[in-house]
Amino acid sequence: MPVPDENRYRAFLASPAPARFLARAVSTNDEAKAWARQGAPHGAAVLAAEQSGGRGRRGRGFFSPPGGLYLSVVLHPGAASPGLLTTLAAVAALRAVRLAGGPELAIKWVNDLLYQGKKVGGILTEGVCAPDGEARAVVGIGLNLGPAAFPPELEGLAGTLFGAWPDAEREKTAALIVNGILEGLPRVPEHLAEYRARCATLGRRVAFQSEGREAQGRAEGVDGEGRLLVNDGRRLLTLMEGEAALLPE
């Protein structure tokens, strides 16, 4: 698999920042975290054509076939919480796909990107300590752009934008995502209005874990920190992390 085109990426990048381009990585987040520990500046990015050990939230694997967009960005987040960074990245990804000529995507709280009800992308935000002792964040975004033979456990759940977006431009889209994150970060939480508007979870019945037990309720909102508000029929709960699986109505 060819290395992503550096010149193409930089042609669409709004503010110059260093980037590394890999044909294959175990995980772009791991590469970016190691770079952040060495002092990578705000906006530094790692872009790969394939991942052999992509990760999702809670240590889950993220299927990363060749030809996808696998991007991680080093951020100096200031006061922005992980929830705000993840929701910002989701909005930036939706906007970038649209600006690059791709289809409209939706969001499943908190970090899944959906097309026609199937997961075509995901986001993982992780913290890291820089050499100066200050906290940094690494935000990873993965998008399935190429043809993919999904493993049996993902059939019917995962999808790809291949076919729906035959002229997908990986490097342009990656640059537009970075632009959106860097431009939106000083203005958080302004992006949450668009996040809520594109969040397919809101208004739906969901299953989730509450106090160590399986519970169900209706997702009613996303608060100012990107947390999901769920009414279980007795009270309004705030989900800070975990999974909110969509249930049939």
Side-chain angles (χ1 to χ4, degrees):
M1 181 58 59
V3 175
D5 188 325
E6 179 175 356
N7 291 332
R8 187 71 177 162
Y9 172 81
R10 296 196 180 282
F12 293 97
L13 198 63
S15 301
R20 294 177 177 176
F21 303 86
L22 307 171
R24 181 181 173 92
V26 173
S27 160
T28 57
N29 259 32
D30 287 349
E31 296 280 347
K33 286 164 65 179
W35 194 6
R37 293 187 188 99
Q38 297 166 359
H42 183 62
V46 177
L47 183 61
E50 181 181 0
Q51 292 184 127
S52 60
R55 299 192 315 282
R57 294 173 67 241
R58 308 180 77 179
R60 295 173 181 166
F62 181 80
F63 184 59
S64 310
L69 185 159
Y70 308 113
L71 167 73
S72 293
V73 188
V74 177
L75 300 174
H76 299 190
S81 65
L84 287 175
L85 296 177
T86 299
T87 52
L88 174 62
V91 169
L94 265 60
R95 290 176 178 173
V97 169
R98 186 170 63 242
L99 287 171
E104 291 282 351
L105 305 183
I107 302 165
K108 175 180 169 292
W109 183 86
V110 57
N111 66 324
D112 290 348
L113 306 177
L114 307 179
Y115 178 66
Q116 296 183 339
K118 293 184 178 181
K119 180 175 177 176
V120 295
I123 296 161
L124 177 64
T125 300
E126 298 183 290
V128 62
C129 188
D132 58 8
E134 295 295 321
R136 300 288 184 259
V138 168
V139 178
I141 302 100
L143 274 175
N144 296 332
L145 299 181
F150 293 103
E153 64 271 18
L154 296 180
E155 285 292 341
L157 301 174
T160 176
L161 295 178
F162 184 76
W165 189 13
D167 299 319
E169 296 188 61
R170 178 179 54 197
E171 290 82 359
K172 177 180 180 180
T173 306
L176 293 175
I177 292 172
V178 174
N179 292 346
I181 293 173
L182 296 183
E183 291 166 6
L185 186 56
R187 298 194 293 272
V188 293
E190 289 182 7
H191 68 282
L192 285 175
E194 185 170 351
Y195 183 92
R196 295 179 182 113
R198 303 300 298 170
C199 185
T201 308
L202 297 185
R204 293 285 303 273
R205 291 179 61 246
V206 295
F208 58 97
Q209 287 277 337
S210 177
E211 298 174 348
R213 298 180 180 180
E214 289 287 340
Q216 295 185 9
R218 191 167 297 277
E220 294 191 349
V222 172
D223 75 4
E225 289 292 330
R227 299 172 297 197
L228 188 67
L229 305 176
V230 180
N231 190 329
D232 70 353
R234 298 180 296 114
R235 53 183 174 164
L236 192 65
L237 302 173
T238 302
L239 304 188
M240 294 178 283
E241 59 181 5
E243 195 78 14
L246 302 180
L247 296 174
E249 294 293 337

